[in-house]
Amino acid sequence: PETKGTSSERKIPDFQCGFIDHQEPDPLRAARFFVVECKRLGHPTTSGWTFNKNYIHEGVKRFVDSDWRYGKDVADGAMVGYIESMTLEELVNEVNRVATSSNLPTLEYSRGGERPLHELRHELTRIFPITPFMLWHLWIEMTSSPDAAAE
């Protein structure tokens, strides 16, 4: 009800899984959605707009921006990053640099992963419920060979 007629009502994430919270006494507030946003990663940001800036500005920020409100009324959400180039360390450093310049906390490793899957996490503070919000990041190496992302 509080977003009726706002721009966040027309925003559509890449994937979402909805369910009804039967513990919520107000049936108009019972719908819950786990949201997954997907973005490409790679290519340094030294020359303008790139995948890594886009990952933060058009991905992570959608979970904290009141115009988007991805994951509203739930405590978790997810981002999937498709690694096309750069090493994991380079990507984490660059994405964290963009996050910091956008007044967002940095990503942390959630658990050690074996190629091609890497898991990171982000605890975000939002001005709408629920906060704090845990954003899980699953990064998948999409290179043609297991060693190509390290080049």
Side-chain angles (χ1 to χ4, degrees):
E2 69 272 4
T3 59
K4 184 175 182 190
T6 67
S7 63
S8 66
E9 199 171 49
R10 294 180 296 280
K11 308 296 185 186
I12 301 172
D14 292 325
F15 299 99
Q16 61 184 349
C17 178
F19 61 97
I20 300 299
D21 179 0
H22 296 288
Q23 302 295 322
E24 172 60 53
D26 182 352
L28 294 177
R29 297 179 186 275
R32 304 280 186 261
F33 296 92
F34 183 85
V35 171
V36 180
E37 184 69 10
C38 304
K39 298 290 179 223
R40 295 162 69 182
L41 289 165
H43 310 296
T45 60
T46 55
S47 59
W49 193 257
T50 65
F51 297 148
N52 305 327
K53 283 184 180 180
N54 193 51
Y55 188 84
I56 295 294
H57 293 286
E58 302 297 326
V60 173
K61 287 180 103 177
R62 293 178 178 184
F63 290 89
V64 296
D65 188 327
S66 61
D67 286 340
W68 291 83
R69 295 182 186 236
Y70 279 10
K72 183 182 137 342
D73 295 325
V74 296
D76 296 90
M79 291 275 306
V80 174
Y82 301 106
I83 300 174
E84 295 186 1
S85 65
M86 300 175 69
T87 66
L88 180 65
E89 183 179 354
E90 289 170 329
L91 282 169
V92 170
N93 289 338
E94 186 160 328
V95 168
N96 278 340
R97 184 183 57 73
V98 176
T100 301
S101 69
S102 300
N103 296 316
L104 293 169
T106 57
L107 281 78
E108 302 171 2
Y109 290 98
S110 177
R111 62 182 170 102
E114 293 288 323
R115 284 182 156 170
L117 182 64
H118 308 282
E119 186 179 310
L120 301 99
R121 69 176 177 266
H122 223 166
E123 186 172 306
L124 303 171
T125 302
R126 310 189 301 178
I127 60 171
F128 53 90
I130 293 175
T131 194
F133 180 83
M134 186 60 72
L135 185 58
W136 299 96
H137 300 264
L138 298 173
W139 288 3
I140 304 164
E141 294 180 22
M142 302 298 290
T143 54
S144 56
S145 71
D147 296 322
E151 296 173 358

